Amino acid sequence: MQRAPGKVLHDAVCNHLNLVEGDYFGLEFPDHKKMMVWLDLLKPVTKQIRRPKHVVVKFVVKFFPPDHAQLQEELTRYLFALQVKQDLAQGRLTCNDTSTALLISHIVQSEIGDFDETIDREHLAKNKYIPQQEALEDKIMEFHRSHTGQTPAESDFQLLEIARRLEMYGIRLHPAKDREGTKINLAVANTGILVFQGHTKINAFNWAKVRKLSFKRKRFLIKLRPDVNSSFQDTLEFLMASRDFCKSFWKICVEHHAFFRLFEEPKPKPKPVLFSRGSSFRFSGRTQKQVLDYVKEGGHKKVQFERKHSKIQSIRSLTAQPSEQHTEVPKQSSSFAYGDDNDSAAVQSCRQGREMKASPKDTGQHKSHSLKKSPKEGKKVDGAVVSTVEEEEEAAKDRMQQNRPQSQQPSTAGSLTGSPHLSELSINSQGGPSVANMSLSPNLSPDAKQPSPLISPLLNDPSCIRTDDEEEVKRKRFPTEKAYFIAKEAATTERTYLKDLEVITSWFQSAVSQEDCMPETLKNLIFSNFEPLHKFHAGFLKEIEQRLALWEGRSNAHIKGDYQRIGDVMLKNIQSMKQLTIHLWKHNEILVELENGIKNSRKLETFCRDFELQKVCYLPLNTFLLRPLHRLMHYKQIMERLCKHYPPSHIDFRDSRAALAEVSEMVAQLHGNMIKMENFQKLHELKKDLIGIDNLVIPGREFIRLGSLSKLSGKGLQQRMFFLFNDILLYTSRGLTASNQFKVHGHLPLYGMTIEESEEEWGVPHCLTLRGQHQSIVVAASARSEMDKWTEDIQMAIDLAEKSSGPAPELLASSPPDNKSPDETTVDQESEDDLSASRTSLERQSPHRGNTTVHVCWHRNTSVSMIDFSIAVENQLSGNLLRKFKNSNGWQKLWVVFTNFCMFFYKSHQDNHPLASLPLLGYSLTIPSESENIHKDYVFKLHFKSHVYYFRAESEYTFERWMEVIRSATSSASRTRALSHKEPHAY
């Protein structure tokens, strides 16, 4: 063995462990100078390890991929999890206490199973995962309690998901000095070479920017590609402790570059005839691409393995990963330690161990989700609807503080203090320190200069930056036909729909079960009608994804026939969906009964309001109750596009047309019910935004338009929020309320009202006079187009009021309703001419959501109509987009959900809640010009004042779809154009 090359020993260890993806690992040992070096796979072992009997060779992770989902074997993920455990214990993986506790909680879950306080305390007393662990034990157990039902494999996956977001994940620091003699640390990662000062990353050199790596004695040299926008010199020089240290780091860099960037192993250089110059070292082994291709081809035998430190056994793989197609999980037949001491993989000799069999577990095991924190414990600033999970918040804060000196963006910490404007970056506190949680509501005041909302460390993680080469390779792997992308849209939107159903069936149900606030009859009504829908659509999504996997050629299954179609899957499931129509008819009753319950029970009202402040509830709660009806229309639109694309002779045309007919019939049956429910839901949503009016929701009342207008008074023009219904026009202002609500200042019955333009009379642009029977007011719109929309809708509402007597005026009250708190009635003391007071409450902590459509319209000085809301229901979309800032170089992949005039951003489609949101009302949508130097296909640009974002789609079809749906939010249609738009898409 000693005379054989290092590769023989490495392969022997991998074979002993039955490890297929062994290329991510390496053998490490101390050389004669006690410096830890990697075993060279090409050199004989005897030339590297001089005294083998006295040397401990460690088997450790060498290459850390950007996404652990690329690790396709459970055994590989288990070994990576052990590496994380070892790095935590050794202090190499540094992070804040919250992240540390969360990491350890997943380790404990994988080792002892579900939470039991007594067992947990005993286990933590016997096992020290970090120094001074005692201070974190309560937090560890608190996190462990939430992992109930999680298998060891799932715990490994979640552990790696958290670890990969940490800055020091997979980082080995190599001491060096820069040209000025400043002490720094160098490290290499999958993205390139990193520079640290202490444990703070201060610079990074992406592989795409590096032209050449070399070393000369103790000097390590990085030659960069020329860049006119860069202030760096052509060649960077770093001084290391010795030539051996320098050469060792250079070798590691060469290997990382080859493993992550090359498609295949580099060929050896020809030997020189006379003398050699420089090192002949080269990377040996498979590249990451070759490893991925090999595992996907499935040419290896699956074996089971034993988890040495776990008291529970699992052979279940994580089927949720896109790269895994229901593979079995390998079983290791060795007793194998990892890391130092009890956790070290000391490969002194290959010892045969025990083989332990594990029984398969149900892959469909249901996990209940519990709401860990009540909004009462920590209320939101600016009513921020979205935020990050607690461990990410703390990590984000750490990274933000560490990188602040090097950041090109101004600091945003505490930017809300004293600001009278809707902030670009909202800070949220939930039972802990203030951290970077984002509500991406761009600054709406013309004079304020706020930083970009998408600069969060969570949405700007270097591990998520894709190089152009990587994206091009990925794009070439998948089909290019339009039908494939239509089918893919069905899958991506179905994922979002399933997550929306889980808000009710999992999160809301779990919260209700913990609080005695809802009658049993109402519980049964809601959950007995939503759970069958969730179960059905979970299977529906699985079928669509399996078909897409076959279409893309990712599946290992050998299925005969033409699987490049989707119509047959849609037809089968839409026909099955008809049996669920009985549940859809119940949704009207559910909506009414829930609102009645809220009206009659202050406890239920408080509970629902608090639930809406949870991060998973990113939309108003009653909006989720309408999702099943909205989804039917999305199926109809998808099938319409598919039928329009297919020629009649296509193999999928008949099934697609039949599916379209089936879903069109269902939509037609539920059309009237859905229109009534949407109006009912909108009235109740507006009721939460208004104080000073009773009985807003009454039979016969219909919402028409809301928006910001300026009202002319003795003190001049003052901004007011107007709400137009089919019988009355309300005008309100934002006051110093503790709940961010709008106070009703007055109302004008539409019966007998007249409307006339009065720009010349008052000398105010875009001015209208509204003359009622008892009062007249003068208002001005922000633009001619806004004035035209208001004029059109008010005139239509007047005509409707003339045809019916309408509600009696006494149904309106000038005082706040009696179920409001005393704070909300006494604090709201705004006078008609107190303009400054109406612009401050967004910065106050509030139990009410502060970024609803009403608030966005107030700050963007625009309006939306009920028809706009109906069009928005049609124009919902989900999928991956690449995002780029105006002044940044890289593109970052994000999962984006577009709904309710807003883009919600996630790291992946598996996340339970968005990290940030960007309301698009008032934004302009364009295609980048040549001068912007984008030079990429399928890119669109979103622009509002100084805020510019570029988004890049994966195909022409998806680009056109994103342009179509976003245009519906950025350019509110007039009633005439909106009605003509809706005709071909009638419910």
Side-chain angles (χ1 to χ4, degrees), residues 495-511:
R495 285 173 181 167
T496 298
Y497 173 53
L498 199 61
K499 284 289 185 184
D500 288 348
L501 288 178
E502 287 173 2
V503 172
I504 301 296
T505 62
S506 183
W507 296 94
F508 188 58
Q509 184 173 10
S510 176

Side-chain angles (χ1 to χ4, degrees), residues 184-201:
I184 50 123
N185 289 305
L186 297 180
V188 63
N190 58 79
T191 55
I193 298 173
L194 313 177
V195 183
F196 288 80
Q197 206 157 40
H199 285 78
T200 303
K201 186 172 68 176

Side-chain angles (χ1 to χ4, degrees), residues 216-229:
K216 188 173 183 180
R217 297 185 179 88
K218 296 193 293 184
R219 290 183 296 153
F220 180 73
L221 307 172
I222 305 175
K223 190 169 186 178
L224 301 176
R225 298 184 186 278
D227 185 355
V228 294
N229 299 320

Side-chain angles (χ1 to χ4, degrees), residues 581-592:
T581 306
I582 185 173
H583 299 296
L584 300 179
W585 282 109
K586 286 281 188 179
H587 286 194
N588 187 24
E589 183 183 351
I590 291 172
L591 196 59
V592 172

